[in-house]
Every structure is written in structure tokens, then in C-alpha cells.
């Protein structure tokens, strides 16, 4: 193997390492946690993922979990915080890159505890429920969605913005499993 590896060009080595890293990302377990402390299945609408029409975004690409303002927001999976800041209609947001190359998006936060490049564990407090962004004047809630960096082409359908479904995972099943497990 050593002779083979040393005979490869830098470009081929980079390609091999990239393939291995991507493969390892798919092997990591998610260990999913409900992202709002103390929430139950009564705190979110089972039908809100990919609901149309939905405000400026057109289609609702996540699930809103309602809770008292200031309630702890927990990382749904372990991963690395790739962004902690402000983002348009999401207001105060945190993005966590987790297993299976999925980005977990937490929006409308009151406070952000996790910072960019922090490693977080499943169930770790990363912020608090709020009303930032386009949630101002509405009931406090966490907008939670899961995007995939690896497109799932088979999810494309005829729904409004249905071609974008290849980049989103419906979090409802994971939320329901987490509630049932508590």
C-alpha cells in the first residue's frame, strides 16, 4: 500500500482522502435528541413540513416547535457549528453540520450559546427559544430543519418547490421517535 500511495499524484491523494472522509460521515450515528427541552409532540404540527403557502419562503421547509421564550434549544445531533449569527428571516440562527452530511438549522433564537467552530454533543444546549427574524410578534418557537449536502434526487416531486426536496429531510419522524423515546 505504501508504494501505491506514494505513487499517486497530489490530486489523486486528495480525491481518495475526500472519498474516505465522505464515507466516514455517513457511518457516524446521529443519536437524535428533541431540539427543545421538555417539548412533546403537542408542541409542533405534524403536517407543517413542506407546507405551502408559507410567507416569504413560499414553502415551509422545517418544523416549528413552540415553547416558552428562553427555553433551552438542544443540539439534535453531535457535530460542528458551522455558523452562529444572524440570517435574514431566520433571525438569530445556528447551523450544525452533523452525521450523514446533514446541516441542522435552528432559527428564531433568543440567544445563541454555541459559537462557530464549536463541537457540540447531542442534547447539548446551544441557544434559547425566541422570536427573532420573521417570528417577531408571533409566539416564541424554534424553526428546526435538516438539509443534506448530498442531494437525494429521488425526493423530487410535483409539490410547490418540489425540486428543492432533494436538499431537505423531513424532521417529523426523528422528532416523533425522540418524543416516544423520552
Amino acid at each position: 500500500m505504501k508504494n501505491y500511495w506514494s505513487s499517486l499524484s497530489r490530486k489523486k491523494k486528495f480525491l481518495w482522502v475526500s472519498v474516505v472522509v465522505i464515507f466516514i460521515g455517513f457511518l457516524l450515528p446521529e443519536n437524535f435528541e428533541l431540539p427543545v427541552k421538555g417539548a412533546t409532540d403537542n408542541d409542533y404540527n405534524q403536517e407543517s413540513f413542506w407546507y405551502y403557502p408559507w410567507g416569504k419562503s413560499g414553502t415551509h421547509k422545517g418544523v416549528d416547535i413552540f415553547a416558552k421564550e428562553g427555553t433551552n434549544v438542544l443540539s439534535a445531533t453531535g457535530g460542528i457549528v458551522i455558523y452562529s449569527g444572524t440570517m435574514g428571516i431566520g433571525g438569530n440562527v445556528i447551523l450544525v453540520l452533523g452525521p450523514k452530511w446533514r446541516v441542522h438549522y435552528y432559527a428564531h433564537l433568543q440567544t445563541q450559546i454555541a459559537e462557530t467552530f464549536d463541537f457540540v454533543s447531542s442534547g447539548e444546549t446551544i441557544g434559547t427559544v425566541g422570536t427573532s427574524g420573521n417570528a417577531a410578534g408571533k409566539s416564541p418557537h424554534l424553526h428546526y430543519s435538516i438539509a443534506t449536502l448530498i442531494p437525494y434526487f429521488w425526493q423530487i416531486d410535483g409539490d410547490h418547490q418540489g425540486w428543492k426536496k432533494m436538499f431537505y429531510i423531513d424532521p417529523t419522524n426523528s422528532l416523533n421517535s425522540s418524543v416516544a423515546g423520552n
Side-chain angles (χ1 to χ4, degrees):
M1 182 71 177
K2 184 178 179 186
N3 290 337
Y4 174 74
W5 186 255
S6 60
S7 70
L8 293 177
S9 67
R10 291 182 72 178
K11 189 175 183 179
K12 287 183 180 178
K13 286 179 184 176
F14 176 77
L15 188 61
W16 269 109
V17 169
S18 298
V19 167
V20 169
V21 167
I22 290 169
F23 182 72
I24 290 171
F26 280 109
L27 294 178
L28 296 173
E30 281 192 297
N31 300 325
F32 191 88
E33 285 282 329
L34 195 65
V36 175
K37 186 166 181 73
T40 70
D41 56 354
N42 292 324
D43 297 319
Y44 57 91
N45 183 331
Q46 302 283 326
E47 306 296 322
S48 65
F49 177 74
W50 222 265
Y51 186 85
Y52 174 82
W54 196 276
K56 289 183 181 179
S57 64
T59 300
H60 196 239
K61 298 169 187 79
V63 172
D64 293 339
I65 305 170
F66 293 87
K68 184 178 163 193
E69 192 160 17
T71 301
N72 285 348
V73 171
L74 313 173
S75 182
T77 66
I80 184 169
V81 176
I82 56 174
Y83 182 75
S84 179
T86 305
M87 197 180 272
I89 62 177
N92 298 326
V93 303
I94 292 177
L95 283 81
V96 175
L97 176 60
K100 313 217 182 313
W101 299 104
R102 294 176 179 172
V103 176
H104 299 260
Y105 174 74
Y106 307 83
H108 308 312
L109 302 173
Q110 178 185 48
T111 60
Q112 298 144 300
I113 296 168
E115 298 177 1
T116 303
F117 301 124
D118 282 353
F119 285 95
V120 294
S121 301
S122 180
E124 182 177 336
T125 301
I126 59 172
T128 58
V129 171
T131 58
S132 62
N134 70 348
K138 299 175 184 164
S139 298
H141 65 278
L142 169 71
H143 173 88
Y144 175 69
S145 63
I146 306 170
T148 177
L149 298 179
I150 310 296
Y152 293 4
F153 296 105
W154 58 90
Q155 292 189 159
I156 297 172
D157 64 19
D159 285 350
H160 187 77
Q161 296 183 358
W163 69 272
K164 291 183 180 181
K165 280 187 176 178
M166 71 177 145
F167 298 110
Y168 290 91
I169 308 294
D170 183 352
T172 309
N173 290 337
S174 295
L175 293 171
N176 291 341
S177 294
S178 184
V179 166
N182 287 338

